Amino acid sequence: MPRATALAAISAYYDAFNRGDTRAMEALVTEDFEHHVNEGNIRRGVEKFREFNAHMTRCYRETLTDIVVMANDAGTRAAAEFVVHGSYIETDDGLPEARGQVYILPAGTFFTLREGRIARVTTYYNLADWIRQVR
């Protein structure tokens, strides 16, 4: 059952993401949550995750498709692969100017879970490909 619990938590996380329900995403993480952002610093704690989500909501509109979620039998580690379909709606610091550009980008995320809650999210995508698409 631990594997099924992990798969359910990750699926709920991505369902909330696709609904734009960041509060539901935040409810699935532990208090000592670590968010390892592609090409960025580690954000520790739920409050830093809330700040990140507010920033992302302001700058991007994204939907994930073709989501495949995998988990170990113990339910402590999981991974997901998906395709990001997005619009760049407000210029993000240090990145090209936003003009509503659309992009499609493959990505993946690794998770650590504790007692059915998400303790770590590490996301990877090709930033150079994203920049090429929005220039």
Side-chain angles (χ1 to χ4, degrees), residues 16-17 19-28 49-50 53-54 57:
F17 181 96
R19 291 192 316 273
D21 188 351
T22 58
R23 287 184 188 236
M25 292 169 61
E26 294 154 8
L28 294 166
F49 188 47
R50 278 190 194 102
N53 286 336
T57 298

Side-chain angles (χ1 to χ4, degrees), residues 6-17:
L7 293 172
I10 303 308
S11 294
Y13 179 86
Y14 285 123
D15 288 345
F17 181 96

Side-chain angles (χ1 to χ4, degrees), residues 102-116:
V102 297
Y103 52 92
I104 299 174
L105 194 66
T109 301
F110 297 98
F111 298 88
T112 300
L113 295 99
R114 266 194 327 271
E115 298 174 9

Side-chain angles (χ1 to χ4, degrees), residues 6-120:
L7 293 172
I10 303 308
S11 294
Y13 179 86
Y14 285 123
D15 288 345
F17 181 96
N18 277 338
R19 291 192 316 273
D21 188 351
T22 58
R23 287 184 188 236
M25 292 169 61
E26 294 154 8
L28 294 166
V29 305
T30 61
E31 285 300 316
D32 62 345
F33 174 72
E34 288 190 353
H35 188 210
H36 299 239
V37 184
N38 191 73
E39 305 287 334
N41 295 321
I42 299 171
R43 292 176 174 84
R44 290 182 170 85
V46 177
E47 187 54 39
K48 291 289 185 188
F49 188 47
R50 278 190 194 102
E51 291 170 10
F52 174 82
N53 286 336
H55 171 84
M56 293 297 288
T57 298
R58 188 176 64 254
C59 294
Y60 308 90
R61 292 288 179 266
E62 295 180 331
T63 301
L64 309 180
T65 63
D66 304 316
I67 301 169
V68 177
V69 180
M70 301 150 269
N72 67 348
D73 289 339
T76 58
R77 307 275 305 275
E81 184 177 16
F82 47 87
V83 178
V84 181
H85 298 261
S87 297
Y88 185 33
I89 57 175
E90 184 176 310
T91 302
D92 202 344
D93 292 340
L95 295 173
E97 183 180 343
R99 300 179 312 280
Q101 304 95 310
V102 297
Y103 52 92
I104 299 174
L105 194 66
T109 301
F110 297 98
F111 298 88
T112 300
L113 295 99
R114 266 194 327 271
E115 298 174 9
R117 295 181 54 140
I118 301 168
R120 176 188 57 93

